[in-house]
Amino acid sequence: MRVVVALLVLLSAACAPSEAEPFSPVDLPAETSASGAAQPSPGGSARTGPRVETVQVAPGVRVVVEWPAEPDADTTAMIELLRDYFVGVFRAVTSGGGDTDYLGLVERDASPDAYAWVQAFLDQRRSVRGTARLYALNVSSTYGAGAELEACVDESKMRLIDSSTGKQVPEQPVWTKKPFLQAATMRHHDDGSRRIVLFRNAELPHERAKGCLR
């Protein structure tokens, strides 16, 4: 994403994903976030442990999701939304802007930020190759029709490439070197749909990002 949360990755004070840093619109506050996975698995059937899902975005580009062991229905829907967003923005980048489905997953502050993130790649004639990984997924807060999902994002297996030549650029950005914490605030609409309305993140050495180290 982000190429970052960050796919990665996002906010009202958003800065475009330069080659020096992931998409980091607004930093998370320093307080330690709530921990612990939410819990029945996708489709409602019981699972004995976590699963790993791999989504092929484009040739040579994948998004891997490490699911919590037993997410409940709401958590499942939120994880699917964040997964689809990361897949969507990378598809937009790798298609040269031809795929814009990701814009249907965001609204409010997240819409212009997501668009600007993708557009920065296109303007700089950059694309990506490799694997982005989402893990330690956790619903950190809920309120009314909204909730916030936190995820660790590791894009160290991704490389920034020149979209015209397909070659890796000489100087790789910071987001290819260390994971960060992405938080996505989501709104649940009356028709049952969800959209991301805000992105925030915390990067190392921020205390809240240290939980993403392995």
Side-chain angles (χ1 to χ4, degrees), residues 157-174:
K157 301 299 183 183
M158 291 201 112
R159 291 296 177 265
L160 192 68
I161 63 173
D162 185 315
S163 58
S164 60
T165 66
K167 294 182 179 179
Q168 181 176 311
V169 300
E171 294 296 327
Q172 287 294 300
V174 171

Side-chain angles (χ1 to χ4, degrees), residues 84-143:
D84 292 348
Y85 174 78
F86 268 81
V87 169
V89 292
F90 284 131
R91 280 191 176 145
V93 168
T94 57
S95 68
D99 192 320
T100 60
D101 287 351
Y102 74 97
L103 290 172
L105 306 177
V106 290
E107 63 184 24
R108 299 187 183 180
D109 289 343
S111 292
D113 295 334
Y115 177 81
W117 188 82
V118 170
Q119 194 62 38
F121 280 88
L122 305 183
D123 291 345
Q124 298 166 18
R125 297 183 180 180
R126 295 291 185 256
S127 188
V128 292
R129 181 169 51 236
T131 300
R133 184 174 294 268
L134 309 181
Y135 58 99
L137 293 139
N138 170 58
V139 177
S140 57
S141 64
T142 59
Y143 51 91

Side-chain angles (χ1 to χ4, degrees), residues 8-214:
L8 86 237
V9 150
L10 297 151
L11 270 257
S12 57
C15 58
S18 71
E19 294 182 8
E21 60 183 23
F23 181 36
S24 9
V26 171
D27 288 339
L28 286 166
E31 304 85 47
T32 303
S33 63
S35 61
Q39 281 125 40
S41 60
S45 59
R47 290 185 177 273
T48 58
R51 66 186 177 96
V52 177
E53 176 186 18
T54 300
V55 181
Q56 191 75 30
V57 175
V61 183
R62 302 185 304 169
V63 171
V64 174
V65 182
E66 297 182 11
W67 283 78
E70 295 181 346
D72 62 24
D74 285 337
T75 302
T76 295
M78 293 175 69
I79 293 174
E80 288 174 343
L81 176 54
L82 186 63
R83 173 203 64 197
D84 292 348
Y85 174 78
F86 268 81
V87 169
V89 292
F90 284 131
R91 280 191 176 145
V93 168
T94 57
S95 68
D99 192 320
T100 60
D101 287 351
Y102 74 97
L103 290 172
L105 306 177
V106 290
E107 63 184 24
R108 299 187 183 180
D109 289 343
S111 292
D113 295 334
Y115 177 81
W117 188 82
V118 170
Q119 194 62 38
F121 280 88
L122 305 183
D123 291 345
Q124 298 166 18
R125 297 183 180 180
R126 295 291 185 256
S127 188
V128 292
R129 181 169 51 236
T131 300
R133 184 174 294 268
L134 309 181
Y135 58 99
L137 293 139
N138 170 58
V139 177
S140 57
S141 64
T142 59
Y143 51 91
E148 183 175 78
L149 178 69
E150 291 185 350
C152 289
V153 182
D154 183 355
E155 293 167 330
S156 62
K157 301 299 183 183
M158 291 201 112
R159 291 296 177 265
L160 192 68
I161 63 173
D162 185 315
S163 58
S164 60
T165 66
K167 294 182 179 179
Q168 181 176 311
V169 300
E171 294 296 327
Q172 287 294 300
V174 171
W175 52 261
T176 63
K177 298 177 174 64
K178 55 187 178 181
F180 61 94
L181 180 69
Q182 179 81 71
T185 301
M186 303 177 181
R187 181 170 178 80
H188 191 183
H189 293 278
D190 292 340
D191 64 1
S193 66
R194 284 179 170 82
R195 290 184 182 83
I196 300 170
V197 298
L198 189 67
F199 290 100
R200 299 186 293 167
N201 67 14
E203 301 167 21
L204 292 167
H206 195 292
E207 285 298 321
R208 297 185 69 176
K210 289 181 178 178
C212 294
L213 292 172
R214 291 175 153 177

